[in-house]
Amino acid sequence: MSSPRFLLGFLLFIACLLNLISVNSDGKQTALFVFGDSVYDPGNNNYLNISIQDKAVYWPYGETFFGFPTGRFCDGRIIPDFIAMDAKLPLWKPYLEPGSQQFTNGANFAASGAGVLPETNPGLINLRLQLSFFKKVASQLRQELGEEEGKKMLMEAVYLFSIGGNDITYFAGNYPNATESEQEQFLQVVIGNLTEVIKEIYEMGGRKLAFQNVGPMGCLPLAKQVNGISGDECVESLSEMARQLNNALLKAAQVLENQLEGFKYSVFDYYTSLYDIIKNPSKYGFQVADVACCGYGSNNASHCGIEPYYVCNNPSEYVFFDGAHPCESANILFAELLWNGEPEITKPYNMKQLFELDSDYPSGTLYSIMNRGQTGGSLINFPTL
């Protein structure tokens, strides 16, 4: 990497930040809080003492847009970056980045390897730990803005999630002989714990929540490489678990809408969108869908940036930059569907509609107040098989 290219990328990044901030300063913006895994991680893992394989801190990550690695598992911008741009918010800084930060625009807590359950990749930033970060931010905002204004801001904010894929990978790797009923039980535990987090955010004022569901796990280049599958085939057992989890997520969101006064949600069908691109890449302007742009192995799907590895000349021709994460050119398409998608792909609201919705102060609290003993930070545990 030449120093002029690095400097050019750095200056472009700063200019983009300043431009977005200036747009945002003209009027009051709705805040966005992001929770999730590596698909949404802006670089939080950079600040953990963990394996370098769980960080995207080396070239060629970031080469397309930033000109240097930012910690995003992509050649450029990730989906939350484009959503922030649509909402006239600044590009994301990692929540864990040292130094003082202002959170009136929101915060991104997502981290690579994160699961809903703490036993998924121990030592990384699971969803409940991300929730604890959000609670600190919410407390800071109430202190800075005043109790009433802080509560109002949290109520008007949008909360965006993309998580669950690592939980599936954890279960499949640790319980390869699990029965269908045991798989179903595990997925219900995942959804149960995700629901508890959602309820806590609701009790703190959150009313507008968006979810990107889990993609076709068995069709990722890394999954195919690990399982020795090539061509159009996928690891059906992984994709089936993803479909089941996605169905459970949608049902849970519908139940919460009936239980919680003022609760509004959006579910983006990332699974169907990514699957269609994988099966019909040329339809969307891509040439390669089963092999990653950067990596090593039969599908070029592991160790991107860690020698030995190969990197393609034009990432925009590839659906995947590394073995599990889309290129920026694909993220642009997904972000557009999340922001502006029709009901068959993003329902019942898209992100743009969520941002435009007004949240009224509720006349009551949780509809399910009788079940309060099951909320407030409890962890639903999965029994040992």
Side-chain angles (χ1 to χ4, degrees):
M1 178 178 64
S2 63
S3 56
R5 184 174 185 179
F6 178 93
L7 180 59
L8 179 61
F10 179 76
L11 292 175
L12 178 61
F13 178 48
I14 295 300
C16 185
L17 281 176
L18 292 174
N19 178 61
L20 286 168
I21 291 171
S22 66
V23 171
N24 187 43
S25 64
D26 290 337
K28 192 173 183 180
Q29 298 293 328
T30 300
L32 176 62
F33 295 96
V34 180
F35 303 80
D37 52 28
S38 55
V39 177
Y40 279 10
D41 183 6
N44 279 303
N45 274 16
N46 294 0
Y47 306 100
L48 301 181
N49 184 22
I50 56 176
S51 168
I52 193 172
Q53 294 188 25
D54 292 315
K55 304 178 182 182
V57 293
Y58 35 85
W59 189 259
Y61 285 114
E63 66 171 4
T64 297
F65 179 77
F66 300 101
F68 62 95
T70 64
R72 291 162 169 82
F73 283 83
C74 184
D75 59 305
R77 289 161 291 186
I78 53 178
I79 295 170
D81 288 322
F82 293 106
I83 297 302
M85 293 168 67
D86 286 329
K88 295 182 173 59
L89 299 171
L91 290 182
W92 295 108
K93 292 172 59 177
Y95 166 74
L96 292 180
E97 182 175 299
S100 62
Q101 293 193 44
Q102 294 294 321
F103 297 112
T104 51
N105 289 316
N108 189 330
F109 311 107
S112 175
V116 174
L117 305 181
E119 55 262 43
T120 298
N121 297 326
L124 299 182
I125 307 172
N126 62 64
L127 182 59
R128 186 148 290 279
L129 185 53
Q130 293 180 32
L131 176 64
S132 72
F133 294 159
F134 168 68
K135 289 181 178 180
K136 292 179 181 178
V137 169
S139 177
Q140 178 179 326
L141 288 170
R142 288 195 298 268
Q143 291 177 5
E144 293 176 353
L145 302 176
E147 191 69 24
E148 192 70 13
E149 192 63 29
K151 286 181 179 179
K152 184 177 180 181
M153 178 194 163
L154 294 175
M155 186 167 287
E156 291 294 339
V158 176
Y159 303 80
L160 176 61
F161 293 77
S162 174
I163 200 162
N166 289 316
D167 297 286
I168 291 174
T169 302
Y170 156 79
F171 182 84
N174 286 277
Y175 304 102
N177 300 315
T179 64
E180 289 184 10
S181 63
E182 288 168 340
Q183 288 184 8
E184 182 179 350
Q185 182 183 10
F186 173 76
L187 295 176
Q188 287 302 320
V189 171
V190 173
I191 290 298
N193 280 276
L194 175 58
T195 299
E196 296 305 311
V197 169
I198 294 170
K199 287 181 177 180
E200 289 194 50
I201 291 175
Y202 177 88
E203 289 187 314
M204 297 173 66
R207 294 295 181 270
K208 300 185 289 186
L209 285 81
F211 305 91
Q212 175 175 312
N213 71 16
V214 176
M217 300 289 295
C219 298
L220 302 181
L222 181 58
K224 297 171 72 168
Q225 179 170 302
V226 169
N227 290 274
I229 293 177
S230 60
D232 292 334
E233 294 184 58
C234 299
V235 186
E236 180 56 28
S237 59
L238 289 176
S239 292
E240 174 60 22
M241 285 193 72
R243 289 193 294 270
Q244 292 179 13
L245 183 64
N246 292 341
N247 290 336
L249 170 64
L250 183 58
K251 290 178 182 178
Q254 292 168 342
V255 169
L256 289 171
E257 184 181 36
N258 291 327
Q259 289 182 341
L260 309 180
E261 183 178 356
F263 178 88
K264 303 295 182 184
Y265 72 91
S266 170
V267 176
F268 165 47
D269 191 356
Y270 179 60
Y271 183 105
T272 298
S273 303
L274 178 55
Y275 185 81
D276 192 42
I277 291 178
I278 290 172
K279 294 301 181 181
N280 306 285
S282 60
K283 173 181 168 184
Y284 298 92
F286 299 103
Q287 297 183 18
V288 184
D290 60 333
V291 175
C293 169
C294 177
Y296 177 78
S298 59
N299 294 74
N300 208 43
S302 62
H303 306 304
C304 173
I306 303 175
E307 295 290 352
Y309 74 94
Y310 164 83
V311 61
C312 68
N313 292 324
N314 188 357
S316 65
E317 297 176 351
Y318 287 69
V319 176
F320 293 95
F321 187 65
D322 64 16
H325 306 99
C327 290
E328 179 185 88
S329 50
N331 283 335
I332 293 173
L333 300 180
F334 298 132
E336 175 60 22
L337 291 173
L338 177 56
W339 183 256
N340 270 322
E342 297 296 325
E344 63 267 18
I345 202 71
T346 309
K347 61 185 177 184
Y349 301 98
N350 56 40
M351 284 286 286
K352 184 175 186 292
Q353 292 167 333
L354 271 190
F355 269 89
E356 292 171 347
L357 283 176
D358 290 327
S359 294
D360 298 324
Y361 281 95
S363 58
T365 55
L366 288 178
Y367 176 84
S368 56
I369 194 71
M370 63 189 73
N371 298 321
R372 191 175 183 86
Q374 298 177 6
T375 64
S378 62
L379 182 67
I380 304 173
N381 294 312
F382 179 64
T384 303
L385 296 180

